[in-house]
């Protein structure tokens, strides 16, 4: 029954894609602009977003946008493949296989021959992406790719073979999903800081996933607006579940629920036409942000729409932990070098008398003695001490054996934390400082203002590909890994995205 329903949806989706393209692109250029891009009088913010989602065209994507979004896709695929080896991913996959009738439609990262229904595939693949907190981060703080790409791949799997999206279709939809998340977060000054109440990807993520899928399905502007409004009713997760196995569910749900919202809108389900507007007495998206001040979103009439990703790059992580950890790790690694010199080696706890961290005030990443890998990924103290001991933090730093090392425990007991007034909990303004007093009295200091991988100091293509090859190579054979690198690099020239889908298994 489930398969027949999805096949029916697939047929209707394919029909919509055909009708939308032939209907819109058959108009004269002036009529297309009037129907899609020119703002209507007194248009609501919500309606303007719907028109943007529906109206984006290939001409709006600049070379910079294409290059940066391909990098995001490659990194997200790599961390998702590596994440498919984790316990939390296996739990989520087993749950979906045992609780729901199997539907052989959409692929699962790193599992050749394993397929689920499209929404469940979007869910488990989203969980994989965030299972190690290794996915990309933006400012204001959110994890943008994991909420969008798994949903788009699942929808692509769902479509009939003769209507598979092209690589450029996929890139267009992906950038829609990224842009919507960024615009929504920039409507609030409070969103710029490290969150305290809710995990941002669980709020803006479903909105981005819904927007991306709505575009890929060629929904009309009204349906796109309804998709956003439906997604808003499926959004939100409290910060209390950070540093637990449930945090990866936030990304999985963002991907799944965003896709669900778009599919429901395609069937005709309606929701508030003012969900993104700030209207007295109407609690829409402003329920999440107290200082929410939205603006309409319009496409440029011709080429070169001003995308947020063009103005600000993405942060790519070099090791699997909360982004805030990357500042203290680089600072502590510099102190490690001062202690051991040019020779590689491990610092002994007996050499150290005191460790002082100067970091932003953020309760959920201030964890003096983490007891599991998820807590360790969210601990200033753990990551600073790991880097001080070993000179770096890697995937292996969060294994059970590494977390329970006596030398690490000894260093953790020496840590003090200060929160300077000039060090805000803001990924664009913060710094990390590590001061180590040695047993002989010498005081060594390390400071990081911008780590390698931050949007101000982005990873080179070589570094990004090295990370991808290491992550994907833990699951896939070398030829598939290299094939994915080549496929993503030439994605905008791919007439059919099927080769990308096949290489992920």
């Amino acid at each position: 029954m489930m398969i027949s329903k999805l096949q029916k949806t697939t047929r209707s989706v394919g029909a919509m894609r055909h009708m939308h393209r032939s209907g819109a692109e058959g108009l004269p250029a002036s009529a297309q602009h009037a129907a899609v891009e020119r703002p209507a009088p007194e248009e609501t913010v919500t309606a303007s977003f719907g028109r943007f989602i529906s109206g984006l065209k290939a001409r709006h994507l600049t070379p910079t946008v294409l290059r940066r979004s391909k990098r995001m896709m490659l990194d997200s695929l790599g961390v998702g493949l590596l994440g498919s080896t984790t316990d939390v991913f296996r739990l989520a996959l087993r749950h979906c296989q045992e609780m729901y009738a199997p539907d052989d439609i959409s692929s699962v990262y790193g599992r050749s021959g394993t397929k689920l229904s499209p929404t469940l595939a979007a869910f488990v693949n989203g969980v994989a992406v965030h299972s190690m907190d290794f996915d990309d981060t933006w400012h204001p703080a959110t994890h943008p790719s994991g909420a969008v790409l798994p949903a788009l791949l699942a929808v692509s799997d769902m479509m009939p073979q003769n209507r598979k999206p092209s690589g450029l279709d996929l890139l267009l939809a992906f950038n829609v999903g990224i842009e919507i998340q960024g615009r929504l977060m920039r409507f609030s000054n409070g969103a710029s800081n490290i969150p305290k109440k809710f995990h941002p990807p669980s709020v803006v993520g479903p909105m981005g996933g819904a927007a991306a899928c709505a575009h890929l399905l060629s929904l009309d502007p009204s349906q796109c607006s309804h998709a956003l409004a439906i997604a808003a009713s499926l959004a939100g997760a409290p910060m209390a579940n950070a540093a637990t196995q449930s945090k990866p569910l936030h990304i999985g749900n963002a991907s799944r629920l965003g896709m669900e919202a778009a599919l429901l809108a395609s069937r005709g389900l309606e929701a508030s036409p003012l969900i993104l507007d700030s209207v007295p007495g109407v609690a829409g998206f402003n329920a999440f942000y107290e200082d929410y001040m939205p603006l309409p979103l319009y496409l440029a009439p011709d080429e070169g729409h001003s995308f947020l990703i063009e103005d600000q790059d993405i942060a790519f992580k070099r090791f699997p932990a909360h982004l805030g950890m990357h500042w203290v790790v680089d600072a502590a690694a510099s102190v490690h070098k001062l202690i051991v010199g040019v020779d590689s080696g491990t610092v002994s706890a007996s050499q150290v008398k005191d460790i002082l961290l100067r970091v932003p005030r953020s309760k959920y990443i201030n964890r003096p003695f983490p007891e599991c890998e998820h807590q360790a990924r969210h601990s200033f103290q753990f990551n600073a001490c790991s880097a001080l001991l070993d000179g770096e933090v890697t995937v292996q730093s969060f294994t059970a054996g590494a977390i329970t090392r006596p030398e690490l425990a000894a260093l953790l007991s020496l840590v003090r934390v200060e929160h300077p007034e000039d060090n805000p909990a803001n990924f664009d303004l913060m710094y990390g400082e590590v001061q180590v007093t040695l047993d002989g009295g010498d005081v060594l200091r390390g400071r990081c203002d911008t780590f390698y991988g931050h949007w101000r100091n982005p990873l080179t293509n070589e570094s990004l590909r090295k990370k991808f090859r290491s992550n994907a190579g833990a699951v896939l054979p070398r030829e598939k890994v290299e094939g994915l690198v080549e496929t993503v690099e030439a994605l905008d020239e791919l007439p059919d995205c099927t080769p990308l889908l096949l290489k992920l298994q």
Side-chain angles (χ1 to χ4, degrees), residues 5 55 60 62 85 183 210 290 311 327 334 367 403 438 487:
K5 287 182 179 178
H60 294 114
T62 67
T85 67
R183 293 285 175 178
E290 293 179 359
D311 297 330
W327 279 270
S334 67
R367 298 178 182 273
I403 291 173
L438 299 181
T487 300

Side-chain angles (χ1 to χ4, degrees), residues 153-492:
L153 295 177
V155 169
S156 300
D157 262 329
M158 186 181 85
M159 289 181 164
Q161 190 59 47
N162 64 344
R163 295 196 184 281
K164 293 292 185 193
S166 68
L168 187 56
D169 289 334
L170 211 60
L171 280 162
L172 280 165
F174 180 79
N175 278 287
V176 166
I178 302 305
E179 182 76 358
I180 293 304
Q181 292 178 78
R183 293 285 175 178
L184 291 175
M185 295 203 76
R186 281 162 177 78
F187 292 157
S188 164
N189 290 326
S192 294
N193 297 324
I194 295 176
K196 296 178 181 179
K197 294 182 179 180
F198 58 83
H199 195 205
S202 72
V203 171
V204 296
M207 309 294 282
C213 291
H215 180 88
L216 196 66
L217 298 173
S218 293
L219 302 193
D220 65 37
S222 177
Q223 290 173 313
C224 291
S225 297
H226 287 307
L228 290 176
I230 296 166
S233 282
L234 307 175
M239 286 304 299
N241 271 329
T244 74
Q245 285 187 318
S246 288
K247 190 186 178 201
L249 302 184
H250 300 173
I251 304 296
N253 277 329
S255 184
R256 172 176 69 92
L257 297 173
M259 179 183 175
E260 294 266 24
L263 290 173
L264 287 167
S266 77
R267 294 180 183 275
L269 188 70
E270 298 182 349
S272 171
L274 298 175
I275 197 69
L276 300 184
D277 291 78
S278 184
V279 179
V282 177
F285 199 74
N286 57 357
F288 295 108
Y289 296 102
E290 293 179 359
D291 61 345
Y292 179 74
M293 294 290 290
L295 294 171
L297 176 58
Y298 298 126
L299 279 168
D302 296 306
E303 297 179 357
H305 173 78
S306 181
F307 284 89
L308 295 174
I309 193 179
E310 190 157 23
D311 297 330
Q312 179 190 292
D313 209 340
I314 294 286
F316 296 108
K317 300 177 180 179
R318 304 193 321 273
F319 56 89
H322 183 277
L323 192 72
M325 306 303 108
H326 289 63
W327 279 270
V328 294
V329 163
D330 279 12
S334 67
V335 175
H336 172 93
K337 289 181 180 179
L338 293 175
I339 297 175
V340 304
V342 294
D343 299 325
S344 60
T346 301
V347 172
S348 170
S350 62
Q351 297 174 265
V352 179
K353 182 179 180 181
D354 180 74
I355 302 171
L356 175 62
L357 307 183
R358 295 188 175 97
V359 293
R361 188 182 300 278
S362 182
K363 186 174 182 179
Y364 87 99
I365 47 179
N366 183 0
R367 298 178 182 273
F369 299 100
E371 297 177 353
C372 65
E373 62 164 303
H374 295 283
Q375 292 181 12
R377 298 183 199 281
H378 296 76
S379 167
F380 280 128
Q381 294 87 338
F382 174 88
N383 285 274
C385 289
S386 292
L388 187 60
L389 272 180
D390 305 325
E392 62 179 352
V393 173
T394 67
V395 171
Q396 287 70 39
S397 300
F398 301 94
T399 61
I403 291 173
T404 57
R405 288 181 290 172
E407 285 284 288
L408 181 62
L411 283 183
L412 286 171
S413 68
L414 301 175
V415 175
R416 297 180 294 119
V417 177
E418 291 181 356
H419 305 295
E421 292 297 325
D422 67 341
N423 197 1
N426 181 303
F427 290 147
D428 208 35
L429 302 172
M430 66 176 281
Y431 63 85
E433 194 169 286
V434 178
Q435 177 180 297
V436 176
T437 304
L438 299 181
D439 190 55
D442 290 339
V443 178
L444 306 176
R445 294 182 180 87
R447 175 171 168 137
C448 176
D449 295 296
T450 304
F451 65 86
Y452 181 44
H454 191 276
W455 45 84
R456 288 194 301 270
N457 187 20
L459 296 184
T460 63
N461 284 338
E462 181 181 0
S463 293
L464 189 71
R465 289 172 181 171
K466 181 179 179 181
K467 175 187 173 182
F468 172 80
R469 289 185 173 108
S470 176
N471 289 342
V475 178
L476 299 179
R478 185 175 182 275
E479 59 269 19
K480 278 194 174 182
V481 173
E482 295 306 315
L484 276 169
V485 173
E486 295 171 3
T487 300
V488 174
E489 181 60 33
L491 192 59
D492 50 328

